[in-house]
Amino acid sequence: MLPVFDARRRLPAEVDLTLLWSGLILLLLGMVMVYSASIAIAEASRYAGNHPAYFLIRHGVFMTIGLIVGGLAFQVPLRTWQKMAPWLFVAGFALLALVLIPGVGRDVNGARRWLSLGIANLQPSELMKLFAVLYAADYTVRKMPHMLDLKKAFLPMAAAMVAVGVLLLKEPDFGAFVVIVSIAIGILFLGGMRARLFAILIVVLMAAFAILIVISPYRRDRIFGFMDPWADAFGSGYQLSHALIAFGRGELFGVGLGASVEKLFYLPEAHTDFLLAVIAEELGFVGVVAIVVLFGLLVQRAFVIGRQCVALDRVYPALVAQGVGIWIGVQGFINMGVNMGMLPTKGLTLPLMSFGGSGILANCVALAILLRVDWENRQLMRGAKL
């Protein structure tokens, strides 16, 4: 009986429970809020068959697939992910190019970001975020002896990011471009890039983003709408003004689950890009703080796991773990900032929570890889103790 008891007692220590439960709670809470935010839209949509649970059912299927694929991804050792990283990046690049081929990529609201798979759509930019983490970590490890050399360390990665950026801006998907560049630059910095060079690159990137905004009337209108949404509340500031109204109505404890008014055809993309606004209206300030805390815990655990890898001399897993933390943190921050009116409106979903099959799939696989990194750390530490 004693060995059985010991095995059960050690079982919780196999993975980081704070990380695991933070991710699962965000997934489950996201499912509840997607249902709440989408009922009215689904009932009024012929595309959804006027079925109130249409988006809930699809989201549940996506989440189930994501968890199954994530479970399979957890079985793959990090050394295997490292070997596959360059090929996955090339595959992601090919999918981004495929989207832009007329008749192949699917147009939705003036953007061509999806590949039709019949019963669902695949958004390559979501998968590319995961592939960028894996590839940037592998690239940094290979270039570690040359990290102080601008030409050898940074320029090849910059060329790859420019190539990806050209395809993303053609879709257009400026938000995904910002996230992927943040992942690449963040991993390079964590891998040993000089602080002075990093500061210069940040200035250059900010200037480049400013130019991209100035030369695009669409992006320029969004910036002006963000600065004063009430100046054109029925035009460029429409989404943000209604998001702010939702936050205002929610006050401290919210109007109650399911009682949102803004989701009733006032707030566009309520179940995707602006899910946090519905959460704010229905669950109030307390609900929003809870979401922020859960994301904070997830990102914090990612960086702690990365530091444990460094102590164990596991550089690639360390960069992967911290790269996932950068991805979830940056995208979550941008989505929350947009919903609160702190950042210009961008088409970025809330990780692990918003409706969207490709995003949920990529997030679940990323979380599984992060748990695998932690599991491998624990096995090494346990072996060292023995």
Side-chain angles (χ1 to χ4, degrees):
M1 295 298 292
L2 185 59
V4 174
F5 175 79
D6 285 348
R8 289 179 179 177
R9 185 178 61 184
R10 288 198 300 266
L11 184 60
E14 292 292 329
V15 294
D16 189 317
L17 292 181
T18 301
L19 172 64
L20 178 62
W21 281 110
S22 295
L24 289 177
I25 291 171
L26 286 170
L27 280 169
L28 294 173
L29 185 56
M31 190 172 182
V32 172
M33 295 311 304
V34 163
Y35 181 43
S36 177
S38 65
I39 292 176
I41 301 171
E43 284 184 332
S45 173
R46 291 183 180 179
Y47 172 79
N50 304 111
H51 195 295
Y54 174 80
F55 290 102
L56 170 66
I57 294 171
R58 288 181 68 86
H59 191 76
V61 171
F62 294 149
M63 193 169 74
T64 301
I65 293 172
L67 290 173
I68 292 173
V69 176
L72 296 174
F74 179 80
Q75 307 302 318
V76 180
L78 264 294
R79 62 178 180 273
T80 303
W81 285 114
Q82 185 173 6
K83 292 177 182 178
M84 295 191 302
W87 301 107
L88 291 173
F89 187 80
V90 171
F93 187 85
L95 289 174
L96 289 177
L98 198 61
V99 165
L100 299 176
I101 299 176
V104 178
R106 184 183 177 194
D107 289 315
V108 178
N109 297 328
R112 183 179 293 173
R113 304 175 184 173
W114 296 268
L115 293 172
S116 178
L117 302 179
I119 59 175
N121 295 319
L122 175 68
Q123 189 172 357
S125 60
E126 292 293 337
L127 300 182
M128 195 60 177
K129 295 169 187 174
L130 173 61
F131 299 160
V133 170
L134 298 172
Y135 175 71
D138 174 60
Y139 175 89
T140 302
V141 170
R142 287 187 283 109
K143 296 291 184 178
M144 197 71 73
H146 310 290
M147 286 306 293
L148 300 181
D149 189 321
L150 173 65
K151 183 178 179 180
K152 292 182 178 180
F154 173 72
L155 292 184
M157 176 60 78
M161 290 300 105
V162 167
V164 170
V166 169
L167 296 179
L168 288 172
L169 294 177
K170 286 284 187 181
E171 295 183 4
D173 196 345
F174 187 69
F177 179 46
V178 171
V179 173
I180 289 173
V181 168
S182 298
I183 291 169
I185 298 299
I187 289 177
L188 283 174
F189 177 70
L190 292 170
M193 180 186 289
R194 286 183 298 181
R196 180 182 299 178
L197 177 57
F198 180 74
I200 294 172
L201 290 176
I202 293 298
V203 173
V204 171
L205 285 172
M206 292 178 64
F209 288 146
I211 292 171
L212 288 172
I213 291 169
V214 169
I215 64 176
S216 170
Y218 171 73
R219 298 190 192 103
R220 195 164 59 242
D221 290 344
R222 285 203 165 191
I223 288 293
F224 289 132
F226 146 73
M227 295 174 66
D228 186 8
W230 309 108
D232 188 12
F234 295 98
S236 61
Y238 183 79
Q239 283 180 305
L240 180 53
S241 61
H242 281 279
L244 294 176
I245 291 171
F247 271 86
R249 291 193 75 247
E251 296 183 347
L252 187 59
F253 296 106
V255 297
L257 184 62
S260 167
V261 171
E262 286 300 317
K263 70 184 181 184
L264 304 178
F265 311 106
Y266 293 105
L267 180 62
E269 310 298 339
H271 59 303
T272 55
D273 300 351
F274 284 89
L275 184 66
L276 188 69
V278 177
I279 294 173
E281 186 177 3
E282 296 190 351
L283 305 182
F285 176 76
V286 172
V288 174
V289 169
I291 298 297
V292 172
V293 169
L294 287 169
F295 274 107
L297 283 173
L298 197 154
V299 173
Q300 186 263 349
R301 295 314 302 168
F303 277 86
V304 168
I305 291 169
R307 288 200 300 271
Q308 290 171 348
C309 288
V310 173
L312 293 169
D313 199 25
R314 305 179 67 224
V315 181
Y316 178 74
L319 294 175
V320 168
Q322 294 174 341
V324 171
I326 292 171
W327 168 18
I328 300 298
V330 169
Q331 183 166 333
F333 175 79
I334 292 175
N335 178 274
M336 293 176 188
V338 166
N339 276 255
M340 297 177 189
M342 297 168 58
L343 295 171
T345 304
K346 280 285 122 214
L348 279 174
T349 56
L350 190 60
L352 296 167
M353 298 192 71
S354 293
F355 177 81
S358 301
I360 290 293
L361 174 62
N363 294 158
C364 286
V365 172
L367 191 60
I369 293 174
L370 186 55
L371 287 167
R372 174 73 192 198
V373 174
D374 176 64
W375 183 83
E376 290 185 2
N377 284 350
R378 290 168 187 260
Q379 300 310 303
L380 286 173
M381 289 188 290
R382 181 171 299 174
K385 290 179 180 179
L386 293 177

